[in-house]
C-alpha cells in the first residue's frame, strides 16, 4: 500500500478506512492531506474488493477545517490557480458510498468534508460549524449550499454569518447526521454501517447513491425519470435475478457485482 504522511489507510473486510492524521493541527486539511485523501479514496473507489469507505479523524477532531496557515498569505490568483477546494467536490463524486465518522470538531472544510460524504455517524462529542466568518471569509467547499439544503435557510444563515456550532444532538435533530453514539463506539459503528452497505448488491448501491445525490440538482420530474431509468437498468444485472430468486427460495443472495 502507498506510504502517506498525513493519513492512515486500512481495510476492514470490504470497507476502506482513511484516518486523517495531523493530530497536532486538529487534522487541518492541508493541500497535501487532501491530495493524499483523494489518492486513497479514488484507489478504493476503483478496487473491486472494496464496497464502501469510511473517513475518520480522531476523538478530539474529525477536522478543524482547511489549513489556515497554508492559505494565510495566498493571493486571489494563487487561490484560483491552486483550485484548493476541488478536492472536496471530487470526494462528493466518488461512486461508492462514503461514511464520515465524526468525533469532536468538524469545522469549516471539516464540516464540508463530512457533508460531501453520503452518511455521517457522529460521536456524542461531535461539533459541526462553519466558523470562516471569524477569519474574514465564508465557507468555500460547499458549506453555504449543503448546509442550507440540509438544515434550511435560517439555521444555515446563523452558522455561516455568526459562526454558530451545532452539537451532535442538534445535528441529529436537524438531519445533518444519521446517528449519534458514545465516543468509544463511533468508529466501530461507522465501520459496521459501511460493512452492511458494502455487502449489498454493488451496482444497485452505486445507482442508488447517484440517484439520491442527483435529487439535489434536478427538478422532481427529472429526478423521477432518472430513478425510473436506473430501476429498469438494474433488471439487466445478474444480481437483480439473484436477489429476486433468493427471496423466492428464502435464502441469502450471493452478489457478483454484475
Ligand atoms: N488550520 C491550521 N491549523 C489549525 C486549524 C486550522 N483550520 N485549526 C487548528 N489548528 C491548529 C492550531 O493552530 C494549533 O496549532 P499550534 O499548537 O501549532 O498553535 C492546534 O491546531 C490546536 O489548536 P488550538 O490551540 O486552537 O486548539 P483549541 O482547543 O484552543 O481550539 C478550535 C480549537 C476552536 C477548533 C480552534 O483551533 C479553531 O478555531 N480552529 C480554526 C477553525 C476554523 O476557523 N476553521 C475554518 C478554516 S477555513 C476553511 O475551512 C475554508 C473552507 O471552507 C474550505
Amino acid at each position: 500500500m502507498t506510504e502517506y504522511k498525513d493519513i492512515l489507510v486500512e481495510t476492514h473486510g470490504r470497507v476502506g478506512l482513511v484516518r486523517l492524521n495531523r493530530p497536532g493541527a486538529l487534522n487541518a486539511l492541508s493541500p497535501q492531506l487532501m491530495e493524499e485523501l483523494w489518492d486513497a479514496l479514488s484507489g478504493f473507489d476503483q478496487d473491486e474488493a472494496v464496497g464502501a469507505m469510511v473517513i475518520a479523524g480522531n476523538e478530539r477532531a474529525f477536522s478543524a477545517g482547511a489549513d489556515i496557515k497554508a492559505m494565510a498569505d495566498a493571493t486571489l490568483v494563487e487561490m484560483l490557480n491552486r483550485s484548493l477546494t476541488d478536492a472536496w467536490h471530487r470526494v462528493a463524486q466518488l461512486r461508492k458510498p462514503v461514511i464520515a465518522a465524526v468525533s469532536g470538531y468538524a469545522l469549516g472544510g471539516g464540516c464540508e468534508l463530512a457533508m460531501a460524504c453520503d452518511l455521517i455517524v457522529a460521536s456524542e462529542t461531535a461539533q459541526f460549524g462553519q466558523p470562516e466568518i471569524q477569519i474574514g471569509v465564508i465557507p468555500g467547499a460547499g458549506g453555504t449550499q449543503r448546509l442550507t439544503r440540509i438544515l434550511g435557510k435560517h439555521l444555515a444563515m446563523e452558522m455561516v454569518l455568526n459562526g454558530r456550532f451545532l452539537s451532535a444532538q442538534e445535528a441529529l435533530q436537524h438531519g445533518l447526521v444519521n446517528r449519534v453514539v458514545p465516543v468509544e463506539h463511533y468508529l466501530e459503528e461507522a465501520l459496521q454501517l459501511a460493512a452492511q452497505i458494502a455487502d449489498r448488491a454493488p451496482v444497485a448501491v452505486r445507482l442508488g447513491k447517484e440517484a439520491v445525490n442527483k435529487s439535489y440538482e434536478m427538478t422532481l420530474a427529472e429526478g423521477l425519470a432518472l430513478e425510473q431509468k436506473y430501476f429498469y437498468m438494474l433488471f439487466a444485472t445478474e444480481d437483480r435475478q439473484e436477489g429476486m430468486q433468493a427471496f423466492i427460495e428464502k435464502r441469502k443472495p450471493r452478489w457478483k457485482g454484475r
Side-chain angles (χ1 to χ4, degrees):
M1 213 172 253
T2 321
E3 283 289 316
Y4 297 113
K5 184 174 142 287
D6 292 334
I7 60 170
L8 302 169
V9 176
E10 297 162 19
T11 48
H12 294 248
R14 286 183 46 75
V15 177
L17 169 66
V18 180
R19 304 200 66 162
L20 312 177
N21 191 33
R22 294 184 71 204
L26 302 182
N27 291 330
L29 303 167
S30 62
Q32 163 143 4
L33 186 152
M34 288 308 290
E35 216 170 279
E36 292 185 3
L37 177 66
W38 173 247
D39 188 73
L41 293 176
S42 56
F44 284 143
D45 209 36
Q46 284 155 34
D47 182 349
E48 272 197 24
V50 170
M53 300 168 244
V54 173
I55 306 176
N58 54 48
E59 284 187 9
R60 186 171 175 218
F62 176 71
S63 168
D67 192 324
I68 300 170
K69 292 168 189 166
M71 61 186 170
D73 296 324
T75 64
L76 161 67
V77 174
E78 282 163 356
M79 288 302 279
L80 280 173
N81 289 343
R82 279 184 207 169
S83 305
L84 182 90
T85 55
D86 283 5
W88 279 257
H89 302 313
R90 287 203 296 264
V91 171
Q93 299 299 323
L94 288 159
R95 293 170 303 174
K96 292 175 187 168
V98 188
I99 298 179
V102 176
S103 182
Y105 297 116
L107 304 179
C111 184
E112 291 166 310
L113 178 60
M115 287 190 292
C117 297
D118 304 302
L119 301 101
I120 304 179
V121 171
S123 87
E124 285 166 344
T125 64
Q127 293 187 68
F128 297 85
Q130 298 288 164
E132 289 90 342
I133 199 73
Q134 289 168 27
I135 53 169
V137 289
I138 63 170
T144 63
Q145 303 305 299
R146 291 206 168 92
L147 271 183
T148 308
R149 281 165 171 76
I150 299 164
L151 306 174
K153 173 174 158 181
H154 297 104
L155 191 49
M157 282 290 188
E158 200 180 341
M159 293 177 74
V160 171
L161 304 187
N162 206 24
R164 152 108 136 91
F165 286 7
L166 293 186
S167 67
Q169 280 306 331
E170 287 173 315
L172 183 65
Q173 182 192 335
H174 293 285
L176 179 60
V177 305
N178 293 76
R179 56 187 76 167
V180 176
V181 295
V183 66
E184 21 344 327
H185 300 310
Y186 81 99
L187 184 54
E188 181 194 320
E189 182 81 14
L191 287 168
Q192 249 178 43
L193 181 57
Q196 285 168 2
I197 296 172
D199 274 345
R200 301 198 180 276
V203 186
V205 166
R206 176 179 169 179
L207 295 186
K209 164 173 170 158
E210 210 174 303
V212 172
N213 280 334
K214 285 273 195 256
S215 75
Y216 286 107
E217 288 157 30
M218 293 180 157
T219 63
L220 180 61
E222 288 165 346
L224 291 172
L226 181 83
E227 179 194 83
Q228 193 179 43
K229 198 185 301 171
Y230 284 0
F231 175 66
Y232 292 157
M233 266 169 64
L234 287 165
F235 278 71
T237 63
E238 289 177 33
D239 283 347
R240 190 279 306 175
Q241 268 180 324
E242 165 66 8
M244 293 187 180
Q245 200 55 40
F247 173 80
I248 290 164
E249 291 169 12
K250 300 189 188 297
R251 61 172 172 82
K252 254 190 96 175
R254 288 177 294 271
W255 308 124
K256 291 185 185 155
R258 285 199 289 274

